[in-house]
Amino acid sequence: MKAQTTQRAEPDLLYSEEEEALRAAVRDLLADHCDPAAVIARTESGAPHDRETWKALAEGMGLAGLLVPEALGGQGATHREAAVVLEELGRAVAPVPYLTSAVVATEALLACDADDLLEELASGRRIGALAVALNTAPGGAHRSVRIENGLLRGELTGIADAVAADVLLVPAEDGGLYAVDADAVTVTAQVSLDLTRPVAKVVLDGVAARRIGEAAPAVRRALRAGAGLLASEQLGLADWSLTETVRYLKERKQFNRPVGGFQALKHRLAQLWLETVHTRAAARNAADALAGASADADVDVAVALAQAYAAPVAVHAAEEALQLHAGIGMTWEHPVHLYLKRAKADSIAYGTAGSHRQALAELVDLQAP
């Protein structure tokens, strides 16, 4: 008798009416609160995070709790809806800790026994951050802190959005994941290419903490969801870059004709459109896999595929936007540099495209060259 195998249903890559309505609402909110000039001005200040926009998203629209069950004060939605939000946040390079708090930290807590913290993050009253370096891939090695006399000691670097966090989820050498109040640690901002998602060094010097669960499964779950949904943010970056470049080339004239009419530029834009469309398919596939009841191996494949493809496309789209905007694209006042910096930083977040290609080859039993 043959053993029965569970196969994943065909992925649904289309957006539902509810998801399109959510997109429209988020885009309208960001248009009012997060225009390019305001984002650039904020990067020049000492407070890179936009607390007002975060409050509107988290408390006003309840988006911080999309992945949290309704019984714990969340929306009980899925990764598909969170992906739509991240697409729009990517289009606006919004300086808010949505990916790090509402996705990564929340996913880590969902694997632990910390319902009180989940409720606080879902309400938007507190911001969480997983104290694992931003460049760590799902399943990759990460640093842990020591435990001495029941207190946490150690130094962690490259922690995204730690400067905005109220609670840090810290992996320790005993295999546990600990919740630490941000006020009890020293957080020092580090130089970051991406001015809208700063990273920081976190120093724990004898800090009391509460163990909330096992670190290994929680960190792996959090990083996998972060990598999978990061592809949707990268899709938003690429889509904005393409849309704005097309609009600019229609308006800019040379030899008394729109620059966009030149055949060489048409070919470049057509190639970029194809890459963006393919990125949308890969990102939607990853979000759908994370949202569904797929086997772990299927989700791993979808996430690795999405990151292997989306990361270089986002960088390419932003580079093309910068170049094709010509002189004005090189100025600080034009927002395209924010998109290029975010795309470059995203390309190493939660693992590089190369590391995901290697993981994908192993998952499908394809021997690497």
Side-chain angles (χ1 to χ4, degrees):
M1 183 177 178
K2 281 188 177 181
Q4 291 185 345
T5 57
T6 302
Q7 292 186 347
R8 179 187 167 195
E10 288 296 321
D12 182 5
L13 306 185
L14 302 179
Y15 299 97
S16 66
E17 291 183 8
E18 292 77 10
E19 288 165 355
E20 290 292 4
L22 174 61
R23 178 195 307 285
V26 174
R27 187 173 295 189
D28 287 346
L29 185 149
L30 293 175
D32 292 337
H33 291 79
C34 203
D35 61 278
V39 176
I40 292 173
R42 186 162 293 281
T43 63
E44 297 173 328
S45 69
H49 291 95
D50 190 338
R51 296 282 184 170
E52 182 181 347
T53 300
W54 172 251
K55 184 175 181 180
L57 289 166
E59 299 181 25
M61 297 184 67
L63 300 183
L66 277 182
L67 300 179
V68 179
E70 292 183 75
L72 297 177
Q75 303 300 317
T78 72
H79 299 79
R80 290 175 58 93
E81 288 80 15
V84 170
V85 174
L86 281 164
E87 283 183 37
E88 293 307 310
L89 294 177
R91 285 181 60 88
V93 265
V96 295
Y98 189 85
L99 179 64
T100 48
S101 181
V103 175
V104 176
T106 295
E107 285 282 345
L109 291 174
L110 286 169
C112 299
D113 183 19
D115 290 354
D116 56 331
L117 288 177
L118 272 172
E119 291 180 7
E120 291 177 345
L121 263 60
S123 68
R125 296 193 303 271
R126 301 185 81 187
I127 295 171
L130 180 66
V132 172
L134 182 61
N135 66 333
T136 307
H142 58 82
R143 297 183 64 180
S144 301
V145 298
R146 307 183 307 278
I147 297 183
E148 298 177 1
N149 300 321
L151 302 178
L152 301 185
R153 295 183 183 275
E155 179 180 300
L156 303 168
T157 58
I159 310 304
D161 291 331
V163 293
D166 301 299
V167 59
L168 297 168
L169 308 180
V170 183
E173 291 179 348
D174 69 343
L177 187 67
Y178 290 80
V180 179
D181 286 335
D183 292 340
V185 304
T186 302
V187 179
T188 306
Q190 296 179 291
V191 176
S192 175
L193 176 64
D194 182 4
L195 303 176
T196 59
R197 181 177 286 146
V199 296
K201 178 174 70 174
V202 176
V203 178
L204 300 92
D205 188 14
V207 177
R210 163 190 161 200
R211 180 174 176 138
I212 58 175
E214 296 295 322
V219 170
R220 183 182 183 282
R221 173 174 176 168
L223 296 182
R224 184 174 71 170
L229 294 187
L230 178 64
S232 292
E233 177 179 290
Q234 291 163 326
L235 168 61
L237 289 168
D239 191 57
W240 180 92
S241 299
L242 174 61
T243 301
E244 285 301 305
T245 303
V246 170
R247 182 191 61 78
Y248 177 74
L249 294 182
K250 284 181 178 180
E251 295 176 354
R252 184 186 173 203
K253 291 186 177 181
Q254 193 173 45
F255 306 116
N256 203 33
R257 59 179 292 191
V259 173
F262 293 113
Q263 193 69 18
L265 298 189
K266 285 183 179 181
H267 284 303
R268 290 170 66 172
L269 293 173
Q271 178 62 34
L272 193 55
W273 180 82
L274 282 173
E275 292 178 2
T276 303
V277 170
H278 294 162
T279 299
R280 187 180 306 279
R284 292 300 293 168
N285 182 51
D288 189 67
L290 286 164
S294 303
D296 273 353
D298 291 335
V299 178
D300 290 342
V301 167
V303 169
L305 177 62
Q307 267 309 302
Y309 192 83
V313 169
V315 172
H316 179 220
E319 288 175 341
E320 287 286 77
L322 181 68
Q323 185 176 28
L324 295 179
H325 272 82
I328 193 173
M330 303 292 179
T331 64
W332 181 264
E333 289 74 16
H334 197 282
V336 70
H337 67 91
L338 296 176
Y339 290 83
L340 180 56
K341 291 169 183 173
R342 172 69 73 89
K344 286 282 191 180
D346 280 358
S347 70
I348 61 172
Y350 307 119
T352 63
S355 68
H356 284 285
R357 281 194 294 271
Q358 182 177 354
L360 183 60
E362 295 173 357
L363 286 166
V364 300
D365 197 23
L366 179 66
Q367 186 175 2

